[in-house]
């Protein structure tokens, strides 16, 4: 199978060299270019790998994440009838599985199930997602505690699938090093396009099916994750020493702690956490105000979905702008301007709540759409250089697990932001029907958004692409290296599986 795959790749590379001039050119490239690119990836790495990657990032996280966000907000507001401050806190609790991503990474790397490192985790995470979503959809009004537990389980399912597919992508990046950037681009584009599609239809589905119906619909992306696990062809690990698992966990923890103690690592990590934590999240308060008929603009479910879809477009434009224009700029300069613009963009929310847009004759919907697109564009521009820096902070041997740790630090910052925002909404007396102090919450949030400018000395200067760790970390031998991974991990089609079974 491997030799046959290599022959296909060699034949494809030869055909590309011979027929390079036959690819789509000119204005036709805008349409045929992406198709030609996907075809190239499918031929080189097998079409079903592209299917699996797009399924996890584009459908499960992109479309599913958008539907889950809108469905959860309306379920909390209309079915559970909780206050916005409580909803803010509960959203933080349900995001905890993303904070402990290194645990899922260690599990998939260190503990094989029935001799497989990836297949079972895809299958089990998909089943967990299906069960948790169907429980919410098919039950009556759930007790709030059980609802939170079900949402936590759903986030565990998505987080485990995310970590597992990242491991597959990392392995394929080694097998096909020239396609590493293409795979990252495919994941980012799939997620952005999936989010755009999901937000566009989320409001319509909430209106037609209700929040519980949306949760039932979310069982489909989760089932797709299990299908990806079924299609995964992975060599079986033989004679695995389960008795050494605890020692491998200890060694990995020691290696991560040694790395974190390095000033070149903990200082930017501290900045990343604080920059997220102090930007208090009050999205639930704004959502309740958006849908309020008395003090707010009383947006419908469909309108709310369209608003967030414009935010997805803004995030996509931000990624494109960074990739093509800003990726070579110095890290501190990028963080300074994006953090400053992030705070200024929040003033659009203040103008909206104070109804200043109506004084200028600007409709609420148009003003909110512009504000959401601008905010998400700046957020993506702020996030991209930190993502590049995070990839440079990972020491040799534990790159995957340590990168998951860095992402969990960012997620913990988001959790702190969510809980801090919920506390502020409660202290200011912002409820389901009272929004008199919402302007003050927005103003405080905007001021705190620019406060990380005082902490820029924590991040290294210069181009983030040229940043390197100290020599002792780069050259240290990995004590946590697990049994050698197979040279090739690919997702095979059902046709090949049936043929092999014969």
């Amino acid at each position: 199978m491997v030799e046959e795959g290599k022959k296909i790749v060699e034949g494809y590379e030869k055909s590309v060299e011979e027929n390079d001039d036959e690819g789509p050119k000119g204005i036709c490239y805008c349409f045929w270019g992406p198709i030609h690119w996907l075809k190239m990836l499918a031929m080189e790495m097998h079409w079903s790998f592209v299917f699996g990657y797009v399924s996890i990032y584009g459908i499960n996280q992109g479309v599913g994440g958008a539907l889950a966000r809108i469905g959860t907000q309306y379920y909390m507001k209309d079915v559970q009838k909780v206050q916005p401050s409580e909803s803010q806190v509960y959203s933080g609790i349900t995001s905890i599985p993303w904070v402990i991503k290194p645990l899922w990474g260690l599990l998939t790397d260190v503990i094989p199930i029935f001799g497989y490192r990836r297949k079972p985790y895809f299958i089990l995470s998909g089943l967990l997602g299906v069960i948790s979503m169907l429980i919410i959809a098919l039950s009556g009004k759930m007790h709030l505690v059980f609802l939170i537990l079900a949402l936590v389980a759903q986030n565990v399912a998505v987080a485990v699938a995310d970590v597992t597919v990242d491991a597959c992508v990392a392995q394929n990046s080694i097998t096909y090093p020239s396609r590493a950037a293409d795979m990252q681009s495919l994941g980012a584009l799939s997620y952005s396009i999936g989010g755009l599609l999901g937000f566009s239809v989320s409001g319509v589905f909430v209106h037609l099916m209700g929040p519980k119906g949306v949760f039932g619909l979310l069982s489909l992306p989760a089932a797709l994750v299990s299908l990806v696990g079924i299609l995964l062809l992975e060599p079986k690990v033989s004679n695995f020493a389960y008795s050494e698992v605890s020692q491998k966990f200890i060694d990995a923890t020691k290696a991560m702690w040694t790395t974190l103690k390095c000033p070149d690592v903990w200082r930017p990590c501290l900045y990343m956490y604080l920059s997220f934590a102090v930007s208090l999240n009050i999205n639930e308060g704004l959502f309740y105000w958006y849908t309020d008929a008395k003090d707010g603009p009383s947006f419908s479910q469909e309108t709310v979905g369209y608003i967030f879809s414009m935010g997805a477009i803004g995030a996509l434009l931000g990624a494109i702008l960074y990739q093509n224009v800003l990726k070579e700029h110095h890290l501190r300069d990028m963080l300074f301007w994006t953090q400053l613009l992030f705070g200024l963009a929040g003033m659009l929310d203040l103008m909206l709540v104070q109804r200043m847009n109506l004084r200028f004759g600007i409709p609420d919907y148009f003003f909110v759409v512009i504000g959401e697109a601008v905010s998400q564009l700046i957020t993506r521009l702020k996030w991209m250089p930190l993502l590049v820096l995070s990839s440079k902070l990972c020491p040799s041997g534990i790159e995957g697990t340590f990168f998951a740790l860095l992402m969990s630090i960012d997620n913990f910052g988001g959790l702190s932001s969510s809980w801090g925002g919920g506390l502020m909404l409660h202290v200011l007396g912002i409820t389901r029907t009272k929004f008199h102090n919402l302007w003050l919450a927005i103003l405080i949030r905007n001021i705190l958004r620019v406060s990380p400018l005082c902490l820029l000395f924590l991040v290294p200067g210069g181009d983030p692409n040229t940043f390197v760790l100290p020599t002792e970390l780069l050259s240290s031998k990995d004590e946590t290296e697990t049994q050698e991974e197979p040279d090739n991990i690919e997702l095979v089609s059902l046709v090949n599986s049936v043929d092999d079974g014969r």
Side-chain angles (χ1 to χ4, degrees):
M1 175 70 71
V2 174
E3 293 180 358
E4 180 181 353
K6 289 181 178 179
K7 291 179 180 179
I8 294 175
V9 171
E10 292 174 357
Y12 170 74
E13 290 177 346
K14 183 178 180 180
S15 65
V16 169
E17 293 176 358
E18 294 175 352
N19 303 294
D20 185 61
D21 294 335
E22 298 179 4
K25 302 294 183 180
I27 193 171
C28 294
Y29 187 80
C30 296
F31 177 77
W32 292 109
I35 297 177
H36 181 74
W37 178 57
L38 288 174
K39 182 180 178 181
M40 176 268 296
L41 292 178
M43 291 181 64
E44 189 162 343
M45 292 180 291
H46 201 278
W47 68 266
S48 50
F49 170 78
V50 177
F51 161 76
Y53 198 22
V54 172
S55 297
I56 301 297
Y57 271 95
I59 300 177
N60 191 47
Q61 294 190 38
V63 177
L67 290 174
R69 176 178 175 180
I70 301 299
T72 302
Q73 286 182 320
Y74 275 103
Y75 193 92
M76 289 292 187
K77 176 179 178 290
D78 297 335
V79 179
Q80 294 291 335
K81 298 187 182 301
V82 300
Q83 300 295 343
S85 58
E86 296 175 312
S87 181
Q88 193 76 58
V89 173
Y90 298 147
S91 67
I93 294 175
T94 58
S95 68
I96 288 178
W98 293 93
V99 177
I100 56 176
K101 279 184 66 175
L103 175 60
W104 316 131
L106 285 172
L107 287 175
T108 59
D109 285 340
V110 175
I111 305 179
I113 300 177
F114 300 116
Y116 296 100
R117 297 183 184 276
R118 314 300 180 198
K119 289 170 62 72
Y121 289 100
F122 278 127
I123 296 172
L124 291 176
S125 64
L127 291 175
L128 179 61
V130 170
I131 293 172
S132 59
M133 291 297 93
L134 289 181
I135 287 176
I136 300 177
L138 299 178
S139 63
K141 181 181 178 181
M142 296 183 65
H143 190 281
L144 187 58
V145 173
F146 294 112
L147 173 65
I148 297 299
L149 290 176
L151 291 176
V152 169
Q154 189 262 348
N155 274 279
V156 169
V158 178
V160 171
D162 174 79
V163 170
T164 308
V165 78
D166 283 345
C168 293
V169 171
Q171 182 62 41
N172 273 317
S173 296
I174 297 174
T175 307
Y176 307 97
S178 63
R179 298 304 173 201
D182 291 283
M183 285 186 280
Q184 293 298 329
S185 298
L186 178 62
L189 289 172
S190 299
Y191 181 80
S192 298
I193 296 173
L196 173 60
L197 177 61
F199 281 124
S200 298
V201 301
S202 60
V204 177
F205 283 134
V206 170
H207 178 75
L208 296 177
M209 308 169 60
K212 292 175 61 177
V214 171
F215 285 119
L217 194 63
L218 284 171
S219 62
L220 298 179
L224 192 60
V225 175
S226 292
L227 179 61
V228 171
I230 294 173
L231 300 180
L232 181 67
L233 179 64
E234 179 186 10
K236 195 171 184 178
V237 178
S238 59
N239 300 322
F240 181 79
Y242 284 94
S243 59
E244 300 178 2
V245 168
S246 59
Q247 185 60 44
K248 291 179 182 294
F249 271 100
I250 294 173
D251 291 341
T253 303
K254 289 181 178 178
M256 288 190 292
W257 175 244
T258 300
T259 305
L260 279 175
K261 289 191 296 183
C262 174
D264 288 333
V265 176
W266 71 257
R267 286 162 61 94
C269 286
L270 179 61
Y271 175 83
M272 286 189 287
Y273 167 75
L274 292 176
S275 66
F276 283 100
V278 300
S279 301
L280 298 184
N281 185 343
I282 57 171
N283 289 338
E284 298 302 321
L286 286 170
F287 169 74
Y288 278 58
W289 181 81
Y290 284 163
T291 57
D292 186 72
K294 181 181 178 181
D295 296 326
S298 188
F299 289 143
S300 64
Q301 292 98 329
E302 295 90 344
T303 302
V304 171
Y306 296 148
I307 289 172
F308 287 122
S309 69
M310 293 300 104
I313 293 178
L316 180 60
L317 293 177
I320 295 173
L321 180 62
Y322 178 81
Q323 174 67 23
N324 293 282
V325 180
L326 301 173
K327 66 179 180 180
E328 303 296 337
H329 282 62
H330 286 193
L331 181 60
R332 288 182 183 174
D333 291 342
M334 276 291 298
L335 293 178
F336 174 84
W337 288 109
T338 53
Q339 199 72 47
L340 179 61
L341 291 174
F342 190 46
L344 294 177
M347 291 299 177
L348 295 175
D349 290 331
L350 183 61
M351 296 174 63
L352 179 70
V353 171
Q354 293 293 87
R355 318 304 280 156
M356 294 177 62
N357 60 297
L358 297 180
R359 301 174 192 172
F360 294 102
I362 304 176
D364 289 327
Y365 175 74
F366 181 78
F367 198 80
V368 172
V369 163
I370 296 299
E372 181 70 15
V374 170
S375 178
Q376 292 302 318
L377 184 148
I378 297 173
T379 300
R380 182 56 61 92
L381 288 177
K382 172 178 175 287
W383 167 250
M384 293 297 288
L386 291 176
L387 191 63
V388 174
L389 177 62
S390 296
S391 66
K392 299 294 183 178
L393 294 176
C394 299
S396 176
I398 55 172
E399 299 92 341
T401 303
F402 198 81
F403 188 79
L405 174 64
L406 294 178
M407 294 301 98
S408 71
I409 292 174
D410 295 341
N411 291 325
F412 184 60
L415 174 64
S416 303
S417 171
S418 184
W419 284 352
L423 178 61
M424 184 171 66
L425 292 174
H426 177 73
V427 170
L428 294 178
I430 299 170
T431 66
R432 293 170 51 86
T433 57
K434 296 180 180 179
F435 304 97
H436 301 298
N437 289 328
L438 183 58
W439 70 271
L440 182 58
I442 296 173
L443 182 61
I444 294 173
R445 180 204 66 179
N446 295 342
I447 295 174
L448 291 175
R449 277 184 174 182
V450 298
S451 60
L453 295 177
C454 303
L455 304 173
L456 285 176
F457 66 92
L458 293 173
V459 299
D463 183 0
N465 295 290
T466 61
F467 174 80
V468 293
L469 283 173
T471 306
E472 61 270 15
L473 291 179
L474 290 176
S475 60
S476 61
K477 292 184 179 180
D478 175 30
E479 299 177 353
T480 64
E481 185 175 2
T482 59
Q483 185 171 346
E484 183 179 356
E485 291 282 349
D487 290 336
N488 186 24
I489 292 180
E490 61 177 346
L491 300 177
V492 297
S493 64
L494 283 172
V495 176
N496 287 342
S497 300
V498 173
D499 290 341
D500 294 339
R502 292 177 182 174

